[in-house]
Amino acid sequence: PSYEAWLGGLLLLHLLLACACGWACASASAGGWLAGAAVAVGASATLGAFCAFNLQQLTHEISHNVLNTSYGLHALMFLSDLSFGVCGPGWHSYYLLLHNQHHQSAGSREDPDVSFQMYWSVIPRTLSTTRMGRVAWVTIFGLFTQIVVLTCHFIGVNRLNFLMQFKLPLAFLLASKLAFWCGSYYLFGMGSVLYLWLSSGFALGAFAHPYLGFWIIQHLAVPKNGHQPTVSYGGSEWWQYANFGALRHVEHHDFPTIPFTLVHKVRDIAPEYYRDLYKVPSIVGIIWEWICHTDGTAWMDFAANQRYVMSTSELPTLTVGRPRLLHSILSPISARAEQLLQPKNDAEKRQAHMGHGGGGGGGGSSVEEDRGGERSRGSVVAAKTDFEESSQDDWEQGDEDLLEAQLGVELHHDDETDRHTDADEKRSAATRAPPGSPLSSQ
């Protein structure tokens, strides 16, 4: 699709509604200010939430095609982000800098989304044991996201150290957002700011708005679905459209560059890979289940992070890619450096493995995990393996084969080319659409 047209049109609608709400509040002298505020609340809960959520969603989707974006499109994404004010983490910056790392290492210790998504899952104990408390928490977080995140970071509750690499950009971004809101207030009055603020909060699930559904199901790994790391919604088609395809999350993780206008065709092309997966049948039902989750425990294990990664002490090192924006610049340098260092690294690994003997996990073989689709379908990302004392030949022929079978990936060797599982080959064939097919243009 023409992202400039979609993003620009949605942003224009959003800002026009903000102007209208400002005018409604300013001209409601006969009915009092409350009448204008009621107009702003109604508009923000409906069209405003739709605009805010999908400005975020379009920015997210564009980040997967960042090498093809224009300066004008970046300007539109930045301006869209400004309208969120203190709500949200800063979509433009996050999606461009960090989001591709989430796709390449979903659920692992390198996944930047794990810490941020905890705010919908792990709620302060004083609020998590009552329904009203849980709704109050998601409302506070939705309306004051950046304040909550920074406060929790500095008091040590939930540190987001990767964000602190960008101190000056973060300060500039927050100042720009506040300046945007101040400009809206100066030009159009308090009603416009109220509309923008509530729209952004509703898009993040404030007051248990239906858009909360996306944030609590996208990586809903729980016992009832077999700890499936990534989950899609299987209910109403009109709600799929209202989310611009974001609720087809398994398909998105399998093929992140397919646009929202075509992602629904993935299941039609390769139904055998999706028909047996768990799907959330009802947004209202899952939100009510979240509200009633008052036993004080975490709502979910985000992308099976605790089950398959954090609870495992002996893990291979996952190779994590860079954001695409830097990839074309750094790849040649990185490849040459890795080539020069590889012999030394191999020697260190052999020495560490032989030194630890049967201690378990001392060797830590490097794993190249680039199959986001396999992880999305619930495959074990990393498995705990009891390494027994053995010679180097035994390791290569025995334990290595066992680890490959458990992980569903191949350990990297310089003298071998990458192999692919039958499922990978079938999926590749399914997505190599012939000319004229819905996906051939992608």
Side-chain angles (χ1 to χ4, degrees):
S2 172
Y3 285 119
E4 287 86 351
W6 277 97
L7 191 63
L10 200 62
L11 180 60
L12 179 61
L13 174 62
H14 197 38
L15 296 180
L16 287 176
L17 286 169
C19 298
C21 288
W23 175 83
C25 287
S27 62
S29 55
W33 190 84
L34 287 178
V39 172
V41 171
S44 61
T46 52
L47 286 174
F50 169 81
C51 291
F53 180 86
N54 289 305
L55 286 172
Q56 169 270 142
Q57 167 61 5
L58 286 174
T59 301
H60 156 244
E61 188 169 300
I62 293 166
S63 72
H64 291 292
N65 300 280
V66 70
L67 294 180
N68 301 321
T69 55
S70 63
Y71 289 111
L73 192 54
H74 279 287
L76 284 173
M77 288 190 287
F78 182 69
L79 188 58
S80 300
D81 192 19
L82 295 186
S83 68
F84 278 80
V86 295
C87 307
W91 303 119
H92 181 232
S93 303
Y94 162 71
Y95 282 132
L96 290 180
L97 293 173
L98 296 169
H99 185 66
N100 280 290
Q101 183 170 326
H102 160 65
H103 275 257
Q104 293 163 350
S105 56
S108 77
R109 286 171 292 189
E110 293 87 358
D111 184 354
D113 275 20
V114 171
S115 296
F116 182 66
Q117 291 288 338
M118 287 299 101
Y119 289 102
W120 284 281
S121 180
V122 182
I123 296 175
R125 184 166 297 275
T126 54
L127 297 175
S128 65
T129 55
T130 65
R131 295 172 183 174
M132 290 300 296
R134 294 179 68 83
V135 174
W137 168 252
V138 79
T139 301
I140 293 170
F141 180 68
L143 294 175
F144 302 97
T145 311
Q146 294 198 4
I147 296 172
V148 171
V149 168
L150 291 176
T151 300
C152 289
H153 173 83
F154 287 117
I155 67 176
V157 173
N158 186 16
R159 290 194 176 276
L160 302 178
N161 292 323
F162 58 88
L163 284 179
M164 294 301 106
Q165 302 174 46
F166 312 104
K167 293 185 179 68
L168 289 178
L170 279 175
F172 172 77
L173 179 61
L174 185 56
S176 300
K177 285 169 168 280
L178 293 175
F180 186 89
W181 274 11
C182 289
S184 298
Y185 173 77
Y186 178 78
L187 294 174
F188 308 111
M190 187 61 196
S192 64
V193 177
L194 181 63
Y195 165 83
L196 292 173
W197 191 12
L198 289 178
S199 297
S200 304
F202 286 135
L204 288 162
F207 302 100
H209 190 278
Y211 277 120
L212 172 62
F214 169 75
W215 305 105
I216 63 175
I217 74 169
Q218 55 177 323
H219 290 288
L220 179 65
V222 291
K224 73 176 182 181
N225 66 14
H227 297 277
Q228 182 177 308
T230 306
V231 174
S232 291
Y233 168 62
S236 170
E237 280 298 312
W238 74 265
W239 190 244
Q240 296 278 19
Y241 294 131
N243 286 261
F244 278 21
L247 294 176
R248 292 185 169 94
H249 213 62
V250 175
E251 298 91 319
H252 169 66
H253 267 259
D254 286 349
F255 305 101
T257 58
I258 293 180
F260 71 96
T261 54
L262 293 174
V263 71
H264 65 281
K265 294 183 178 293
V266 171
R267 282 183 184 255
D268 299 334
I269 293 173
E272 65 273 20
Y273 295 107
Y274 299 96
R275 67 167 62 100
D276 296 328
L277 295 183
Y278 170 81
K279 299 186 293 292
V280 171
S282 169
I283 287 294
V284 174
I286 200 69
I287 291 176
W288 179 247
E289 186 178 340
W290 180 88
I291 292 173
C292 295
H293 187 79
T294 56
D295 60 1
T297 62
W299 161 248
M300 63 179 170
D301 177 9
F302 179 81
N305 171 262
Q306 297 293 322
R307 182 175 180 84
Y308 294 138
V309 177
M310 300 303 289
S311 63
T312 304
S313 59
E314 297 151 355
L315 288 174
T317 301
L318 296 176
T319 300
V320 179
R322 301 176 197 78
R324 291 187 178 191
L325 193 62
L326 304 178
H327 180 74
S328 60
I329 301 173
L330 298 181
S331 286
I333 302 172
S334 167
R336 180 57 179 163
E338 289 175 1
Q339 182 180 2
L340 293 174
L341 295 175
Q342 187 66 36
K344 180 180 178 182
N345 290 341
D346 287 345
E348 290 175 351
K349 289 174 187 175
R350 286 195 294 271
Q351 183 179 2
H353 173 73
M354 299 304 291
H356 280 79
S365 300
S366 177
V367 172
E368 184 174 341
E369 171 58 275
D370 60 9
R371 297 189 179 97
E374 291 299 324
R375 180 180 298 122
S376 297
R377 274 182 290 280
S379 300
V380 176
V381 177
K384 184 176 181 180
T385 304
D386 295 324
F387 297 108
E388 298 179 357
E389 185 174 2
S390 60
S391 66
Q392 181 63 21
D393 291 339
D394 290 335
W395 156 249
E396 292 179 354
Q397 298 177 7
D399 289 346
E400 179 173 301
D401 293 337
L402 175 62
L403 183 59
E404 287 181 356
Q406 289 178 327
L407 295 177
V409 298
E410 177 182 314
L411 299 179
H412 179 69
H413 298 286
D414 285 342
D415 58 341
E416 293 182 1
T417 58
D418 289 334
R419 297 192 304 267
H420 297 283
T421 63
D422 290 340
D424 292 325
E425 294 294 339
K426 290 179 181 178
R427 186 175 306 105
S428 297
T431 55
R432 287 195 293 268
S437 68
L439 297 182
S440 62
S441 60
Q442 303 306 313

